[in-house]
Amino acid sequence: MIPDQSIREQALDPERSFCVTAPAGSGKTELLTQRVLVLLTRVDRPEQVLSITFTRKAAAEMRERIAAALAAARAGNRVANEHEIVTRRLAEAVLAHAKDRHWPIEDPEIFNIRTIDSLCHFLTRQMPLLSGIGGSIVPTDDPQPLYEAAVDALFATGLNDSVIHGSLSALLLSFDNNWQRLRDLMVALLQQRGDWEHRALDTGTPENAEAALLQAVTRLIEDSLEALRRRLGPGRVSRLVAIVEEAAKALESQRQAGELGRGALPPGPVAPSLSATMGCLDEWRWAANLLLTKTGPSFRKRLDKNCGFPTSDKARKADVLEFIEGLAEDRKMLALWEELMRLPNIESGEEGWQLVMHLARVLPHLEAHLLLVFRERVAVDHTHVALAAEAALGTEDDPTDLALRLDYQLEHLLVDEFQDTSDSQFRLLTRLTQDWASHNAQGVAPRTVFLVGDGMQSIYRFRSANVGLFVRARDHGLGGLALEPLSLSSNFRSQGKLVDWVNRRFSRLLPDEDDPARGQIRHSWADAVKDELPGEPVEVHVFSQDAGRSEAAWITEQVKQLRADDPEASIAILGRGRRHLAPIVTALKNASVPLLGRDLEPLAHSPVASDLLSLCRWLANPADNVAAVALLRAPFVGLTVAEITQLLMHIDTPFSLLEVLDDASARLTTDAFARCEVLRQALRWAEASRDRLGLAIWIEQIWLRLGGPEVIEASQWDDAEQFFGLLDDAEASGIGLDPEGLARLLDKRYVQHQVADNPVELLTLHKSKGLQFDYVFIPALTAGTRSGDRALLRWHHHQQADGKRALLIAADDGSEAGSGSLYQYLTWIDRQKDEAERRRLLYVGITRARRRVWLSGEVKDPGEWESPVKHKSLLGLVVGEGDVPVKAHVVDVQETSDLTTIPLWRRKEPRTVDSLTTIQSVGRPPLPSAAGNLVERAAGTALHRALELLSETRPLPDQHDTRVRNAVNLILLSTINDAEKREQVLRQVLEDVDRALADEKGRWLLGDHMAAASELSLLQLEEHGRELIVDRTFIDAEGVRWVVDYKSSRPRAEQTLEDFIREEQERYAPQLMGYQKLLRALDDADQTVTVKAYSAALYFPAIGRLTVLAQDINA
Amino acid sequence: MAMVPQQHLEAALPFLEAGYPALTPNLRLARALRVDAARRLGVDKGVVKSPQVDALGAWIEQHWRYQVEEGVFPPARVLSAAEAEEVWLQIIEADLAEHREFTLLQPRAAARAAQQCRDALLQYRVPMASQQPKFQQDADCARFSVWLDRFEARLTGSGWTTIADLESQIAASARQVVDRALVLDSDTITPVTRAAICRLAGEVTWLNQKDTEADCVGIRYEGVRDEQRAAARWAAERYRRNAGSTAIVVLNLSEQRQSMEVALREAFDALDARYDALPVNFSRGIPFASAPIYRDALLALGMLEGTVSRSDLLAALRSPYLTALRSDDMKRSLAVIRGSFRLQADPIPVDELRAQLTRYGEFGLGRILDRIAGDRLLKGKRSCREWRTLWIELLSAWGWPARAGVDSFEHQQIERFGDMLDQFEAAGDLLGDMSYRQALSLLRRILERRQFQPSTHADAIQILSEREVRGLHFDAVWVVGAQSTHLPQRVDLLPFIPAAIQREFRMPASVDPEGLASGRALLAGLRQHCNHVVVSWHHMVDGVEQLPSPLLNSVTEALDEIPSTADRWRVSAASPAVMESLEDIDAGTLEQAGGVGGGVALLRDQSQCPFRAWVTHRLGVRALKDPATGLTAGERGDLLHTTLEHFWLACGDSRTLRGLSDEALANSIDQAVSAALRGLKPAVRRRVGAACLDIESQRLKQRVAAWLIFERERQIDFKVVARESKQPLSVGELTLEVVVDRIDELADGRKLVLDYKSSDRFSARDWWGERIREPQLPGYALLDDAIAGVAWAVVSVKGMKALSLGEDLGLGNGASLGRQLGDEEVTEWTEVREAWRQQLNEIADEFVAGKAEISPMKRACDFCSLQAVCRIDYTAMDEEEELTS
Ligand code: SF4
């Protein structure tokens, strides 16, 4: 039986809510699947069980697992092990349950599995008004331009806005009037506003914001003091009060006696109380100086007269030293005292403090501008959707009835990877389940929450993940709902020795107590399920520093060996950053080891993509001479610097590349000229076909004309193909050829490697989460992180002792470490969280392995590492006290200069120029006339309808009837909204109608004839069924087939009647002749009619004129 | 080729022959049946009278019109969907204005949803009077019901109606018009339509699709491109073989239209000259607004709104359709681009642009802008009729849509412009007068809504969505994209109608939420009506695994080899070229060494990266300037320089400085700052605005005051003898013109060169080494033999300091003179100068000799924008970025 069997069984109890800690390899996906199956049998509709994952991939995997379990049960496949038996039993129950309720169980989409983003999107779609969005809108994945626009709008208007003018000016001034820098800061803030916006803006007025911040700092200080007091306990506190008082007194008398040296403590508190109030902070700090050494956070081992212990006072000194020793025994105690020293000093950071105030005043306006930008551009970011979803769920006091909206009640919630939750996500989940506790209290079928995660694998702080929330949920529940903590311990993934190694090493590297505020998560032990393998599970190797080359070479050798020994084994190389993997990529490629690097090499670095981008840049902007010269040097052209110099000599910039190329023959040798010709022809073709082909196709065709594919290796064709894919996206998203937009898209893409069988995978540690491999290499573990950057803004949610959370936020005020500014305090907090996460990242990396792990790095002196070293790097931490053996690889590093010359890479012979073919042109149609004549045309339509109606009215009236009037009115209504105007046109049309009725010819046309028809619709079968309408046709008494077109026009003021008629005749003759031809064909096929002649005519009711265009008697 | 299934045609013919109508759910089907029936009725004839086949909607509307004519119904204007949406929008915006506490980010989306919901209420015949209370239980529904009342009132008050209304009207009280009617494919018809037909026709025959289970096998492809390519190849194959009517059904056509088209073009080899010869008919075209010809028209009209973005300016200058903008003289266009980019504004104010255009000569665009500027036309509200006239006028002034011969697509597109303007005018007639901006956005919306479909012949391959294929017959059909997420198509509940009502009235989302029934019907229909059906799906989307549709009974792997784009290149590209790698470092000797510009930056570039010096100084090629927010670093630096220049012009020497009272000092600084700011270029001034300059003034005062306090403390007397002075500097064969920030004459007659810097990232190391990283001050040191030292005066936000080299300069601790330079050890100032002279001469001579190798110093590439030219594989990615990407 597996060690945590009973825990797994408990976790399937559908009546209870849990928060499960599931360390690496503990089989949590299986557990989640099983729990979903259990819950499905408890609900009426499958949507009532909502599972949330953090990535789309994870959601797809979970859906696939559930579908597979059900499909296997349906098919009655055989089961292999214990787990599967459980799963099968549960799946069968679901099938039976589903059958009773007519669920379409074969449809995997009926399961409610979503990412948090898609959940938010779904909620806002369901509640368009409550969410304040209005309707479905797909959030953009590239919100950067929106943020920039919002900041620009703030800058453009804020300085004229009396409310924030002062604050914005002050901020800009403190940034040295460097708008760009403040802009970057604000853009970064908007990116993360899900975490600060909520609270920072809740305060309403700037004064409130200021008060809220002040209060938050006060609470922070008082809570920290209280925590320290609690840790000390009442006894030690009163003892400390006495110690401080005595030391202060002693110090004072020494001072008066002039006995103090240079480094003496300042005068101490006279009657200290050391209570947990703001007013006592200085007392506490003085006490801290008394107890701690100046240099580092450690307790004093000596006391002297400079801190109030003259040599004579031996007994007191011994006593106090003993007290201090007692404190030092508690590992946590030192951290509390250190924090005390770091706490912000409200008075001291005047300027920094002001900056925060200014920011607090400006931020709501920035937020408002962002909304305006969203509105104008019809776009939103994911954060907005998340905030809107939260808003749509209502407030604590006034929650939205979601069940009513969705038409079902959510009954069960499961969240995977809960340690990656951010503050805003946590709030959303709390809202979603807010009345569940009270519901459950009614003794009905309980609603449950099931959170799964592993604090030790929390590595997404840069994406706002807050591991403290996991601890909070575990310890205090979600909303009002208490969760039972469960911890899985079985490790099904790694071999026994590896599990053991990780247990031992990480129990030291990770703390033994959780401290969510500092991002600290304690280590929990794993029980190996798999057997042990021979040999060391983890090896550590160090190399001489040579830009990663020897390390890469060594790893490549190991990889080759492993692949030779065990071709089926999976191997991964995990790097902290892409940069660290670059030398290894090169080495593996050189050794022809198939590799798969996900999101590893930026596409922008591919020479093919870079050349294509230059081409696009030039096509977009002919003044971009950098792009022009880049094209001249690209391999498909390949001019040398001397040739380019010749070509451009005495030519002013910006030059026109095409003009330069046109004149190239005089300036260049035959070879160079031939190279230019290829470019010239291709670019000429490009201009001729601009905007006629799809963007990607256009660029591709130009590139083909340049011989693009011929000058690159087939392995790089993928890069080109990817670039064309990018152009498709650019076109679809409206970016088109905009060079900046293209560059932004390019920055987000990575080279995709050809997938071979079982390649070595290279990926970042972050990306490796959730994966597993037989063998894992983690190189470059000695490289430092660049921590030199000062974040422009820092914030932290302080979990107050009263359970509330307060936002602490500070801007970079230029203060130095230890200055007591809020900014420095928050920096310190951030550093602590970063360090904790750095260690967890290594944990994640190592626990990816099933069999063995190699850790490595470069160091100055590898030899030194064979005995214990102190090194702050991750590798240094692992090696620790020297109980991990290290293998040193000393290489003779050649002095390489950083000056390396790059040769010109080009085709040897210029390409022969393709002949130029372009798309055929046709004549240009005229622009529509400026005046639309919409009313006139409507009047014409109305007249046609009126005549059509009259041709059916018998007896033919002398004047229009109501029906005619109604018909005309109805048609005019759709064009003329204004009643008076409409009436006027109506009158005019009816006058024309009446004129026709009064006119002899008109009456004849509308009268009774043989084979008469009005508005006759004809289909031309040869013309693919083109449809034509003939206004009026009939055969008169003489056997003449008339084809008549009504015309509502009349002569213009300056026109004679004759001119007018001639004009109209010329205009309509071809059309009418066409009609006539058709009718003839129709008549020919009709045995029942005999036609002697054909006559085509125009009829003008307005002037009572019937004009015969052509008569064809030879019928 | 018949487009409707045989059995449907057989059923319809007797009706048509007897003069009864046959009705179809949509226009496409009506058209197909009309033609097929006509062919049968008029065998061997070239022309026939149209059989009476209509789309249901059109038929009902027509009869509504007849009955209005007869006085059965009152007349009303029938709003188009677009017009109704505008009315909804007006109502919603009025509501938003009334209730400030209630905001909506996208009122238009709400308008669309509201319209959809009202239509559904009518279509499903929900009696609002009795159902009203249910709307009050939910905030969104309650708000909607308020809007609904206002919408109804607006319709009644204005004498308007909508298509859905007139169906209800017919269903309620029309009189019968025909004895019999046939309705095809009737299972998708809404209750109100059904009722309306029953009212109009005495006896209705409903022709339903048979509800059969179809046995479907899905072919699995890895990615969407593979799947599309396979389908496209199959279609092309059939076309070439003349194998009968063919369709591809794309399950999410709106998303995949573009890539599907590319795949088809590849398969039909219609990529280039044969671009307009693709024998494919897409049921969904591209919106007119995205067709380049209209995209550019909108761009041109949008430009008059006051500003133009850089990318729009570029697009306009290169547009083949806006010929007035294309100067014949390319150089002038280039100068305009450079001039406008030099403003570093994005968007560029149109006034600035106009100034640029005027500066570079008569340009069509300049004339237009001038005309508009003088015109108050754009202010105030006007009728759409007037806007229409203006637009045509403006567009012809831009030269739109001229292009040296349009192609057939462009021709067809231009032909449709009149229609769209009609629509615009009609909508405008309804909505009243509007501002230029409003009118333009209305036009844009119309162009976005309307789709352009190139006319193709009827035997073309049809690309349809699943809705459009219903009821049609093809010899062969391929359904692509049959993943579980797309087949069946799921329907969301309507947002503004209470779920209970949707359930009670059997609206689609509650009857068939998973869409399984309609999905099944789709496949069954295809099976029934088409001789050959292929269904496929793809397994991966962006690295996320997809599942096959639950409607597929089984899946099989694709067996065909799918050619990639690269395979096409392999065919079209000649054999791989023979490549060579050349050492390419020699650009040839500079003919006239005298005339090179660039000052001391030339030396710096040559030293840090000879290639960069070649591009920048020999070719004169520089990257265009990026847009700036506020003052750029360079501008702020210049202002600091000029402020100090003005100050020292007035103050003169250290003695005077020390003699100034605090107040007098402050006054002098104020004056110097004002003078410096006055000297700022007007275009910069306009770009940054007065507020920015106010802050700058404060900043300058703070910095300069702090610096002068620092200067006051200098341990030595000095006189400022040169400020921002232009001097010739001879190095090697070059004579460069340099501008020295300042030269002090010390009490003993020696001179000190100072260079102001706003950042403290420089160090004395930059003066030493095999190559000098920062040759500026070493160069200045050679200007005059009396120069005894050089210093960077660091006036930075982080504090004031001087970094100096030379003896007894009175600037605190300078850098040490003792250095190992090459083989020699230098300890004296004169030796340092000599060493510098030698090095700089070498650097200058390298430049003159045309040495242009790509060998950058460390960090030289950090701020260089020439990577595309030198092709260095430069990776300066920092950890932060890696983690967050
Ligand atoms: S990027 Fe580097 S190598 Fe290329 S030109 Fe610039 S400085 Fe020289």
Side-chain angles (χ1 to χ4, degrees), chain A residues 60 104 106-107 109-110 125 127-130 132-134 159 173 176-180 183 374-375 378 380 384 405 407 462 577-579 611 618-619 621-622 633 635 640-642 645 653-656 659 685 687-688 690-694 697 700 705 710 717 721 724 731 738 766 786 898-904 906-908 921-923 925 927 932 934 937 945 963 966-967 970 973-977 1017-1019 1021-1022 1027 1078 1082, chain B residues 34 38 45-50 65-66 68-69 76-77 104-107 109-110 137-138 140-141 160 229 258 271-272 275 292 295 311 318 320 330-331 334 338 388 400 403 405-407 410-411 422 425 429 484 490 492 495-496 499 503 514 516 544 550 565-566 568-569 574 577-582 584 586-587 614 620 624 629 636 691-692 696 698-699 702-703 853-856 858 869 871-872 874 877-879 882-885:
Chain A
E106 66 285 2
D107 180 3
E109 304 297 322
I110 60 170
R125 228 169 44 223
M127 299 177 278
L129 305 186
L130 281 171
I133 291 187
L159 289 170
L173 191 58
D176 208 26
N177 202 21
N178 186 341
W179 290 32
Q180 188 62 47
R183 184 183 192 242
F374 284 164
R375 195 167 200 209
V378 194
V380 287
H384 185 87
R405 206 75 279 275
D407 208 22
F462 67 87
R578 298 189 182 91
R579 193 158 44 103
D611 287 337
W618 183 83
L619 289 165
N621 183 355
R633 284 196 86 241
T640 62
V641 287
T645 312
T653 50
F655 57 85
S656 153
E659 283 174 16
W685 181 88
E687 287 304 340
R690 182 185 284 273
D691 278 335
R692 286 187 166 156
L693 286 68
I697 295 179
E700 186 200 329
R705 282 174 167 71
E710 296 159 25
W717 289 12
E721 204 176 339
F724 296 126
E731 187 163 37
D738 173 32
H766 281 103
R786 293 196 194 178
D898 54 324
L899 302 183
T900 45
T901 304
I902 300 172
L904 174 68
R906 65 170 189 179
R907 58 185 306 147
K908 204 157 179 193
S921 318
V922 294
L927 260 189
L934 210 53
R937 282 184 283 144
R945 175 66 184 149
R963 191 157 165 224
N966 285 347
L970 182 61
L973 253 175
S974 58
T975 315
I976 314 169
N977 205 36
S1017 158
L1018 299 175
L1019 282 186
L1021 293 176
E1022 292 100 57
E1027 195 173 357
L1078 290 180
L1082 201 65
Chain B
R34 198 178 300 146
K45 288 186 205 161
V47 57
V48 290
K49 289 182 192 162
S50 303
R65 288 185 174 275
Y66 292 163
V68 172
E69 291 172 349
R77 173 174 183 159
L104 275 187
L105 198 57
Q106 301 301 342
Q137 291 163 13
D138 174 291
D140 280 13
C141 298
W160 298 338
R229 281 197 179 115
Q258 200 183 350
L271 286 159
D272 171 5
Y275 200 79
R295 179 199 65 203
S311 59
R318 302 228 86 179
M330 190 62 182
K331 285 222 181 58
L334 298 187
R338 190 184 49 181
R388 173 187 184 142
W400 188 85
R403 160 162 215 167
V406 295
D407 66 18
E410 290 160 342
H411 191 280
D422 286 353
E425 204 182 318
D429 176 60
S484 61
R490 284 141 229 283
D492 269 355
F496 298 143
R503 217 177 320 114
E514 281 82 28
L516 281 164
V544 177
T565 309
R568 186 156 51 74
W569 298 337
V578 180
M579 302 299 288
E580 66 181 358
S581 176
L582 281 190
D584 181 31
D586 186 3
W614 171 72
L624 292 164
T629 307
R636 278 177 294 127
C692 176
E696 182 60 13
Q698 290 177 53
R699 177 189 85 97
Q702 285 176 8
R703 283 309 158 268
E853 73 198 73
I854 303 164
S855 56
K858 264 196 183 132
V869 187
R871 312 171 68 78
I872 194 170
Y874 171 69
M877 209 187 314
D878 71 16
E879 199 71 9
E882 287 166 16
L883 289 180
T884 47
S885 55

Side-chain angles (χ1 to χ4, degrees), chain A residues 754-862:
Chain A
Q754 278 286 5
V755 187
D757 271 348
N758 192 23
V760 175
E761 292 207 40
L762 281 92
L763 58 172
T764 60
L765 285 165
H766 281 103
K767 287 249 156 77
S768 75
K769 189 141 160 252
L771 304 176
Q772 48 180 310
F773 307 91
D774 292 322
Y775 301 107
V776 167
F777 292 82
I778 311 181
L781 281 172
T782 46
T785 39
R786 293 196 194 178
S787 56
D789 273 4
R790 288 174 74 111
L792 297 163
L793 194 83
R794 294 190 189 274
W795 64 85
H796 170 71
H797 289 287
H798 169 56
Q799 179 76 47
Q800 290 177 181
D802 58 9
K804 291 205 182 107
R805 280 151 52 85
L807 178 75
L808 293 167
I809 188 164
D812 180 5
D813 50 3
S815 60
E816 300 299 328
S819 63
S821 69
L822 181 57
Y823 181 80
Q824 286 300 338
Y825 172 73
L826 296 177
T827 305
W828 177 71
I829 295 268
D830 276 345
R831 292 267 146 81
Q832 296 215 337
K833 292 181 189 171
D834 286 344
E835 174 58 24
E837 190 153 311
R838 192 167 74 116
R839 296 174 182 211
R840 293 197 291 264
L841 195 57
L842 184 64
Y843 171 83
V844 168
I846 295 178
T847 52
R848 294 313 92 199
R850 286 190 283 255
R851 302 190 204 164
R852 283 181 79 182
V853 180
W854 290 265
L855 308 176
S856 59
E858 289 193 325
V859 295
K860 221 184 193 136
D861 185 355

Side-chain angles (χ1 to χ4, degrees), chain B residues 754-773:
Chain B
L754 282 145
D755 194 61
Y756 300 121
K757 293 275 175 236
S758 319
S759 128
D760 61 355
R761 76 188 147 88
F762 299 92
S763 92
R765 259 204 319 270
D766 300 337
W767 293 329
W768 308 109
E770 232 177 292
R771 290 172 85 86
I772 303 181
R773 179 180 288 276

Side-chain angles (χ1 to χ4, degrees), chain B residues 307-483:
Chain B
T307 58
V308 48
S309 74
R310 279 181 169 209
S311 59
D312 283 355
L313 173 67
L314 289 176
L317 283 170
R318 302 228 86 179
S319 165
Y321 308 105
L322 302 172
T323 41
L325 300 187
R326 303 192 76 157
S327 148
D328 297 334
D329 180 0
M330 190 62 182
K331 285 222 181 58
R332 238 170 358 181
S333 295
L334 298 187
V336 169
I337 296 178
R338 190 184 49 181
S340 327
F341 275 46
R342 209 186 268 150
L343 298 167
Q344 294 194 272
D346 193 13
I348 305 163
V350 171
D351 287 343
E352 299 282 359
L353 184 61
R354 211 173 77 226
Q356 291 293 327
L357 291 167
T358 325
R359 172 170 325 157
Y360 296 107
E362 259 291 272
F363 239 96
L365 176 58
R367 281 197 301 274
I368 298 163
L369 295 179
D370 276 342
R371 178 173 168 269
I372 296 300
D375 205 334
R376 299 229 309 284
L377 211 55
L378 298 187
K379 315 227 164 59
K381 295 194 166 188
R382 276 156 196 278
S383 75
C384 285
R385 201 187 169 113
E386 286 170 281
W387 289 128
R388 173 187 184 142
T389 314
L390 176 75
W391 283 342
I392 292 292
E393 202 185 315
L394 285 174
L395 284 173
S396 32
W398 292 107
W400 188 85
R403 160 162 215 167
V406 295
D407 66 18
S408 73
F409 284 180
E410 290 160 342
H411 191 280
Q412 294 171 38
Q413 286 165 356
I414 299 166
E415 275 182 332
R416 307 293 301 281
F417 194 38
D419 284 0
M420 286 178 283
L421 287 174
D422 286 353
Q423 253 189 51
F424 164 76
E425 204 182 318
D429 176 60
L430 206 87
L431 301 168
D433 290 358
M434 49 185 90
S435 68
Y436 187 82
R437 178 179 284 255
Q438 288 168 326
L440 186 56
S441 93
L442 177 62
L443 178 67
R444 182 170 287 129
R445 279 197 304 279
I446 287 172
L447 291 176
E448 274 161 6
R449 235 172 215 269
R450 287 285 292 265
Q451 295 192 340
F452 169 65
Q453 281 169 299
S455 54
T456 42
H457 42 102
D459 54 355
I461 308 293
Q462 304 290 318
I463 312 296
L464 308 158
S465 75
E466 79 286 351
R467 212 162 345 135
E468 292 144 347
V469 76
R470 289 194 74 111
L472 292 180
H473 155 84
F474 291 96
D475 292 323
V477 176
W478 185 316
V479 181
V480 301
Q483 296 84 259

Side-chain angles (χ1 to χ4, degrees), chain B residues 17 45 52 122 126 191 205 222 233 248 267 325 343 374 422 460 525 535-536 555 585 624 635 685 727 769 811 848:
Chain B
E17 273 164 343
K45 288 186 205 161
Q52 209 194 340
L122 291 169
V126 179
T205 307
E222 187 59 22
R233 268 193 355 149
I248 298 178
L325 300 187
L343 298 167
D422 286 353
V535 183
S536 65
V555 293
I585 56 172
L624 292 164
E635 285 158 352
R685 197 179 277 287
Q727 310 207 15
L811 280 170
V848 173

